[in-house]
Amino acid sequence: MDMNLNMNTDMKEPAVQLIAMLGQPYHPKRVQALLKPYGVKRMPAPKSYFNDTMISCAKASLRMDLYRIPKINELTGLQYTNPDEWIIGAIHFLPPGSGDRIEAPYPVTLPEGITMNSSPEESIAAYGPAQLDEECEWPGFPAALSPGGARA
């Protein structure tokens, strides 16, 4: 399975470009170039003996969860093949106070015009209500999510 995505450089919103990087190999210089207008001068390379790590960027109020191939394959059921790559598994746009170095919210508009200062009502209007009772399958845990918890 080819997991390489050609990034569309015509996309205007950095949040949309970051979201498009989910499931793609992590390249610090690509992320830094995207966040350069927000004062980000460098993004660190992942350094971990484990199969997962977090990369934080306090200036952009952002955290990325990165995974080695065996771990991301286990979590997603996909079949990434290059064992030397770190794959972007999650991107967290952080509010102030979510970490000891996070002083300002993620500074850019998120998809659908939402910002970190948007009210819950504005988020629901943009994305719709949470779907808490839908069937889903996770590797090793097929279940339904409901307000009362998971059920098999």
Side-chain angles (χ1 to χ4, degrees):
M1 176 182 293
D2 183 15
M3 293 295 163
N4 290 326
L5 174 71
N6 295 325
M7 293 302 297
N8 181 353
T9 56
D10 295 334
M11 299 168 92
K12 292 187 174 32
E13 294 295 330
V16 174
Q17 291 184 53
L18 286 167
I19 292 167
M21 290 180 180
L22 285 169
Q24 303 305 312
Y26 173 72
H27 298 289
K29 289 184 180 184
R30 181 187 295 171
V31 176
Q32 182 275 330
L34 180 63
L35 299 173
K36 187 175 184 175
Y38 309 103
V40 176
K41 295 179 182 172
R42 170 176 127 29
M43 287 297 291
K47 294 179 182 169
S48 176
Y49 293 105
F50 301 104
N51 282 332
D52 56 6
T53 191
M54 293 182 296
I55 300 289
S56 293
C57 179
K59 281 196 175 197
S61 299
L62 183 75
R63 187 183 88 208
M64 301 175 95
D65 296 346
L66 308 178
Y67 299 94
R68 287 276 192 195
I69 298 304
K71 183 72 172 182
I72 195 80
N73 286 348
E74 176 187 333
L75 291 171
T76 65
L78 297 174
Q79 296 299 315
Y80 291 91
T81 56
N82 187 343
D84 296 326
E85 289 184 322
W86 287 90
I87 303 299
I88 301 171
I91 298 172
H92 305 271
F93 302 103
L94 304 172
S98 60
D100 58 348
R101 296 177 15 201
I102 306 299
E103 297 174 5
Y106 179 72
V108 182
T109 302
L110 298 169
E112 304 297 329
I114 299 298
T115 68
M116 293 304 284
N117 294 323
S118 295
S119 70
E121 292 79 15
E122 292 170 316
S123 297
I124 291 170
Y127 297 113
Q131 297 180 10
L132 297 176
D133 198 14
E134 64 179 333
E135 294 292 324
C136 64
E137 288 189 30
W138 298 332
F141 187 75
L145 298 178
S146 67
R151 64 178 190 270

